[in-house]
Amino acid sequence: MLFKKTLHIAALLVVAYLMNSFVLRSGIMKDAPPRNDAIERRVDSLLALMTLEEKIGQMTLFTSDWEMTGPTLRATYKEDIKKGRVGAIFNAHTAAYTKELQRIAVEETRLGIPLLFGYDVIHGYKTIFPIPLGESASWDLQAIEKSARIAGVEAAASGLHWTFAPMVDIARDPRWGRMAEGAGEDTYLGSAIAKARVQGFQGNGFDNADAVLACAKHFAAYGAAQAGRDYHTVDISEQVLREVYLPPFKAAVDAGAWTFMTSFNEWNGIPASAHEQLLKDILKWEWGFPGFVVTDYTSINEMVQHGYAADFKHAGELSVNAGVDMDMQGAVYYNHLEQLIREGKVKESRVDDAVRRILRMKFMLGLFENPYKFSDTEREKRLILSQEHLAAARDVARKSIVLLRNENQLLPLSKNLKNIAVIGPLADSKVDMLGNWSAAGDAKDCVTLLEGVRAKWPNAQIKYARGSDVMQMNKVDFANAYAAAKKADVIILAVGEAGWMSGEAASRSDIGLPGVQTELVKYLLTTGKPVVMVLMNGRPLVLGDLAEKVPAIVETWFAGTQGGHAIADVLAGDYNPSGKLPVTFPRNVGQIPLHYNMKNTGRPMNPNDKYTSKYLDVPNTPQWPFGFGLSYTTFEYSDLKTDRSSFDRNESVNISVMLKNTGNYDGEETAQLYVRDLIGSVTRPVRELKGFQKVFLKKGESKTVQFRLSADDLRFYNHDLRFRAEPGDFDIWVGGDSDAKLGTRVTMVK
Ligand code: BGC
């Protein structure tokens, strides 16, 4: 049957290919130069054979009934596949199930066009890595790329072709739960991480069926939701959009990301899924993006609620004409696109452009040669949760941990400890360790903190008590916790958020420790025993006076499958923590938005002048700044030099600094370069990250760290939205966080 069908298609393709010279390669957008002529010819030939209904089918994406990642469910997806009315399926995975669905598409439809399988593989498929915000704290681009690579390898073995990741939304408001899925607040770091993740997912291409298409999302400015409330309105200037929110998307395109997802929000009063300026002008025209754009889940339909479209049909018209190629779950193209074309409201050439972009991916993946190439039960068994993958997950998890406080060198803990109390609602929770959006990750595969501590201190007496729930106000277990703690040499206390409290639809107005956890920590402090507070959370937390009362604080995010081992490695000093915050930790919610690269204002804070920009009740400074993270050793920066004090726009400045490990442990530091453009035709932030380097130093060792700064690095969007560097003075700092004090000044003369 399959053979006959293939023969039939082959014959049709040959005929169409011969006729191909006059097949229109039109489309209303600039079609980027084809990357592969042979594929382009095959795409055109196939397109010439397709009915309008089949074309619209390719533009339709439905979820399977395996999982719900949005509000509605279509139960008829198998029927739709059979009718050729759906070209892509998400939330279906495993080699066996994808094969079953693929067989329907290939053997039972007229043209046998294979399906594309997508899934939210955000931080691992089954081997779960730390949540993306956590991984970003490693500032280790190779490790981040490797994590995405492994996620791609596992997902591809399970029949998936496409991940809805990376999320490259800059997020400056920790109330927004989706901050957990991104790289944090900074555009420079976020762009570098976007590139690493795209490269990781897409690997060296698709010939070996060990990589998946990346999807940069959510285009655009989703992270700027007002008041951090998910799906809320975005109201930012075009300057801010271009300067802060778009660069990670551009980095994703430059790294070769093949797909883009629109966002739920509006920008400038227009919902992103019908935003011509974003989709047509910027993405497809300015950036020459050759892949396809999918909506977010029913975001076309939601334009009715936005008050932008009269009904679904109208929404579909606006969306397809704005450049959206595929409709996720909305069934709007499915139900209305044919009619819209008949009425002349949408040109068939626009549909052809969309279908061409989608088919291009299917050819590129090699699905026409072998539609089952990705669904491989043998590879699935061999690769998923392999020792190599687990070791990488442990390594990335250790690199993601940020040491926030370590009074009197309480950490690392001695390997000879005899009595340890492990306490807290998150200390033995497997499911929370996975964090949000954990794809096919299974809680049973997770190592909890308690398990990690037991493995690390096999000869110690380890007492465990939950102490409290994450959310509930009940204190009945406080007494057990106290009893366990009273006899211990040290208390390891795991507190924070439940895994589901960050991610989509998980905004919080109070970002403190939920429930009675603050009281639990304070109660245990009264034992007089040393307390190591292990935080697990998907966003910065406001800790109040705990930030000064608890002697050791370790930020572990949600560390993934190997989390417990990774945290124990750090606590015991088998790994010297090197993570740096990718996001500012505020002192209280009232300070938000608070990020390191704010503007100076005309009345910068002066403690002796009432009429300056400040609060009556809290300092302007954060609890911990962007880029901050301690080590068990100490680092000293000195001798900051530039090879010239003035330069013109064709030159670069070389910057060097001496970095010394002045403590008692070998360790790794992330040296960060910050710049301030003192006078601009539009005002500039007080600091901007322009470079970073990870440097490993043995104790006592020194190294010269070099950076290069060119005029290109100093460009910004001026009043006319031109991306230019302007002559003038620039302050430069190099140090271990965004509050670095060691600085110098250079001048760009022309
Ligand atoms: C999310 C996307 C996700 C999609 C599919 C939506 O609700 O916003 O990020 O990729 O669901 O699961």
Side-chain angles (χ1 to χ4, degrees):
M1 169 72 177
L2 176 59
F3 179 70
K4 248 172 72 190
K5 176 122 307 187
T6 316
L7 216 65
H8 175 65
I9 295 171
L12 287 173
L13 286 177
V14 171
V15 175
Y17 181 64
L18 295 172
M19 292 160 49
N20 187 29
S21 50
F22 59 88
V23 172
L24 277 182
R25 297 191 66 245
S26 63
I28 53 175
M29 304 185 195
K30 172 178 161 185
D31 208 10
R35 300 198 179 192
N36 180 325
D37 285 342
I39 285 183
E40 295 306 310
R41 282 195 297 272
R42 293 176 76 188
V43 167
D44 285 341
S45 306
L46 179 54
L47 195 65
L49 304 174
M50 293 169 75
T51 63
L52 186 53
E53 193 180 72
E54 284 163 342
K55 290 178 187 174
I56 295 168
Q58 291 304 305
M59 297 169 72
T60 297
L61 167 66
F62 286 144
T63 177
S64 86
D65 53 8
W66 275 33
E67 261 168 60
M68 283 269 280
T69 49
T72 55
L73 185 75
R74 255 189 97 75
T76 54
Y77 66 100
K78 286 191 191 162
E79 291 310 303
D80 293 323
I81 297 174
K82 208 175 277 181
K83 291 186 200 139
R85 297 205 60 194
V86 54
I89 292 287
F90 69 118
N91 292 336
H93 51 101
T94 71
Y97 194 50
T98 51
K99 212 174 216 169
E100 181 185 328
L101 298 180
Q102 192 69 294
R103 195 200 54 74
I104 306 176
V106 172
E107 293 189 13
E108 299 186 30
T109 64
R110 189 179 79 95
L111 291 175
I113 301 174
L115 292 167
L116 196 65
F117 291 106
Y119 195 36
D120 291 279
V121 180
I122 308 291
H123 52 113
Y125 174 68
K126 265 227 186 275
T127 303
I128 300 300
F129 287 76
I131 55 166
L133 185 66
E135 279 189 350
S136 303
S138 73
W139 294 52
D140 187 328
L141 301 175
Q142 277 173 356
I144 292 170
E145 181 172 338
K146 186 164 181 187
S147 149
R149 186 82 278 281
I150 289 172
V153 165
E154 290 196 357
S158 255
L160 293 164
H161 311 125
W162 182 23
T163 175
F164 302 144
M167 185 189 101
V168 303
D169 295 309
I170 295 299
R172 294 167 150 192
D173 190 328
R175 291 171 295 185
W176 191 54
R178 298 203 83 168
M179 178 181 264
E181 283 174 62
E185 76 186 33
D186 185 62
T187 303
Y188 180 90
L189 179 63
S191 301
I193 290 176
K195 177 177 171 200
R197 289 195 167 129
V198 168
Q199 286 172 346
F201 287 129
Q202 297 191 165
N204 298 320
F206 306 97
D207 291 349
N208 300 326
D210 65 353
V212 288
L213 300 168
C215 181
K217 71 187 189 184
H218 306 82
F219 197 63
Y222 183 37
Q226 283 175 349
R229 204 178 78 203
D230 208 3
Y231 317 123
H232 204 355
T233 308
V234 166
D235 191 7
I236 55 171
S237 68
E238 183 160 353
Q239 232 152 15
V240 170
L241 176 84
R242 286 191 177 262
E243 201 167 300
V244 176
Y245 291 90
L246 292 191
F249 287 99
K250 176 65 165 54
V253 172
D254 292 345
W258 282 111
T259 77
F260 257 58
M261 187 187 292
T262 63
S263 52
F264 287 122
N265 57 280
E266 65 170 60
W267 176 62
N268 260 355
I270 299 173
S273 296
H275 213 297
E276 282 200 28
Q277 188 189 350
L278 286 174
L279 301 172
K280 233 159 97 171
D281 302 349
I282 297 180
L283 178 62
K284 290 185 174 175
W285 182 261
E286 228 177 281
W287 299 350
F289 171 66
F292 70 82
V293 176
V294 63
T295 65
D296 204 344
Y297 202 112
T298 61
S299 65
I300 299 184
N301 317 52
E302 290 163 26
M303 292 199 282
V304 175
Q305 303 282 3
H306 273 285
Y308 189 66
D311 51 31
F312 289 173
K313 184 175 161 204
H314 183 210
E317 174 190 342
L318 294 166
S319 183
V320 74
N321 284 338
V324 169
D325 305 307
M326 190 185 277
D327 170 4
M328 182 196 289
Q329 193 59 13
V332 171
Y333 290 179
Y334 179 99
N335 286 320
H336 304 289
L337 194 45
E338 201 166 339
Q339 181 69 16
L340 285 166
I341 289 169
R342 266 196 237 111
E343 290 170 11
K345 290 184 171 144
V346 173
K347 290 205 179 84
E348 192 161 351
S349 60
R350 167 74 269 270
V351 168
D352 287 350
D353 171 56
V355 176
R356 193 175 274 123
R357 287 169 181 271
I358 294 160
L359 290 178
R360 201 177 270 155
M361 298 302 110
K362 295 188 175 183
F363 278 108
M364 197 177 70
L365 289 161
L367 298 180
F368 287 90
E369 281 76 19
N370 178 3
Y372 308 109
K373 156 177 172 194
F374 284 66
S375 311
D376 184 333
T377 7
E378 184 280 320
R379 253 181 332 125
E380 193 176 37
K381 255 199 220 113
R382 179 163 47 85
L383 294 172
I384 285 176
L385 291 167
S386 70
Q387 282 313 311
E388 189 199 332
H389 292 183
L390 291 174
R394 181 168 177 166
D395 184 52
V396 178
R398 304 192 309 186
K399 290 178 165 153
S400 304
I401 291 171
V402 185
L403 180 63
L404 293 174
R405 188 172 154 87
N406 193 19
E407 287 306 284
N408 305 317
Q409 278 76 52
L410 172 55
L411 293 173
L413 301 174
S414 158
K415 291 270 187 54
N416 301 321
L417 287 175
K418 291 279 170 291
N419 293 293
I420 305 175
V422 178
I423 294 175
L426 294 162
D428 197 29
S429 168
K430 286 181 180 281
V431 68
D432 292 303
M433 200 59 116
L434 288 173
N436 201 265
W437 284 121
S438 48
D442 195 334
K444 77 170 176 16
D445 298 321
C446 270
V447 178
T448 67
L449 175 59
L450 178 62
E451 289 166 341
V453 170
R454 282 196 176 128
K456 187 63 77 181
W457 283 274
N459 301 319
Q461 270 260 1
I462 294 168
K463 290 239 154 66
Y464 164 69
R466 210 161 168 259
S468 78
D469 184 66
V470 173
M471 295 283 286
Q472 283 169 16
M473 304 308 284
N474 193 330
K475 297 188 198 167
V476 286
D477 207 36
F478 272 33
N480 288 335
Y482 193 91
K486 198 62 198 148
K487 296 186 200 106
D489 305 323
V490 66
I491 304 168
I492 300 174
L493 180 52
V495 291
E497 300 178 308
W500 59 266
M501 291 177 76
S502 57
E504 186 174 354
S507 295
R508 297 179 65 205
S509 68
D510 171 356
I511 58 170
L513 286 174
V516 290
Q517 294 182 83
T518 301
E519 287 165 77
L520 175 67
V521 179
K522 288 188 173 168
Y523 187 54
L524 293 174
L525 284 172
T526 66
T527 58
K529 301 286 179 180
V531 174
V532 177
M533 184 160 78
V534 173
L535 295 174
M536 299 185 191
N537 41 277
R539 54 159 65 78
L541 294 177
V542 163
L543 295 176
D545 57 357
L546 294 185
E548 266 98 48
K549 284 197 167 130
V550 181
I553 306 179
V554 186
E555 175 56 72
T556 70
W557 318 102
F558 294 111
T561 309
Q562 289 286 292
H565 287 319
I567 301 169
D569 287 343
V570 166
L571 298 182
D574 289 337
Y575 183 84
N576 186 354
S578 60
K580 299 277 190 178
L581 295 177
V583 64
T584 303
F585 273 49
R587 293 176 191 275
N588 69 25
V589 172
Q591 289 182 305
I592 297 171
L594 184 68
H595 43 93
Y596 82 95
N597 46 1
M598 304 195 80
K599 300 286 186 80
N600 202 39
T601 81
R603 293 186 178 191
M605 203 279 287
N606 174 352
N608 303 317
D609 185 347
K610 174 173 164 55
Y611 295 99
T612 58
S613 183
K614 58 181 187 290
Y615 301 98
L616 293 176
D617 54 349
V618 66
N620 284 4
T621 53
Q623 185 65 55
W624 290 293
F626 173 83
F628 175 82
L630 301 170
S631 162
Y632 295 151
T633 192
T634 45
F635 296 99
E636 193 182 277
Y637 289 81
S638 64
D639 213 12
L640 177 63
K641 282 196 245 161
T642 59
D643 65 345
R644 58 188 72 190
S645 57
S646 64
F647 63 108
D648 68 38
R649 64 176 67 249
N650 304 314
E651 295 173 324
S652 325
V653 182
N654 290 312
I655 301 158
S656 68
V657 71
M658 185 58 74
L659 179 61
K660 181 166 189 197
N661 181 342
T662 49
N664 291 322
Y665 298 83
D666 301 345
E668 194 170 29
E669 168 70 332
T670 304
Q672 301 158 40
L673 169 72
Y674 293 92
V675 170
R676 176 171 181 188
D677 184 344
L678 290 172
I679 314 281
S681 61
V682 295
T683 59
R684 308 298 308 141
V686 290
R687 281 186 183 200
E688 291 175 277
L689 181 70
K690 293 292 177 186
F692 62 89
Q693 278 181 51
K694 293 192 76 81
V695 186
F696 183 84
L697 291 173
K698 293 206 162 301
K699 68 176 173 183
E701 195 187 353
S702 304
K703 264 186 201 160
T704 306
V705 184
Q706 314 253 18
F707 295 95
R708 172 181 289 223
L709 194 65
S710 75
D712 276 0
D713 301 322
L714 302 170
R715 286 177 296 175
F716 61 89
Y717 287 92
N718 68 14
H719 200 64
D720 305 319
L721 292 175
R722 281 173 219 264
F723 194 46
R724 297 269 157 82
E726 294 177 355
D729 289 341
F730 295 85
D731 278 345
I732 290 176
W733 298 267
V734 178
D737 60 51
S738 57
D739 202 23
K741 297 283 186 287
L742 186 64
T744 184
R745 181 170 291 181
V746 291
T747 307
M748 189 165 114
V749 283
K750 57 180 167 54

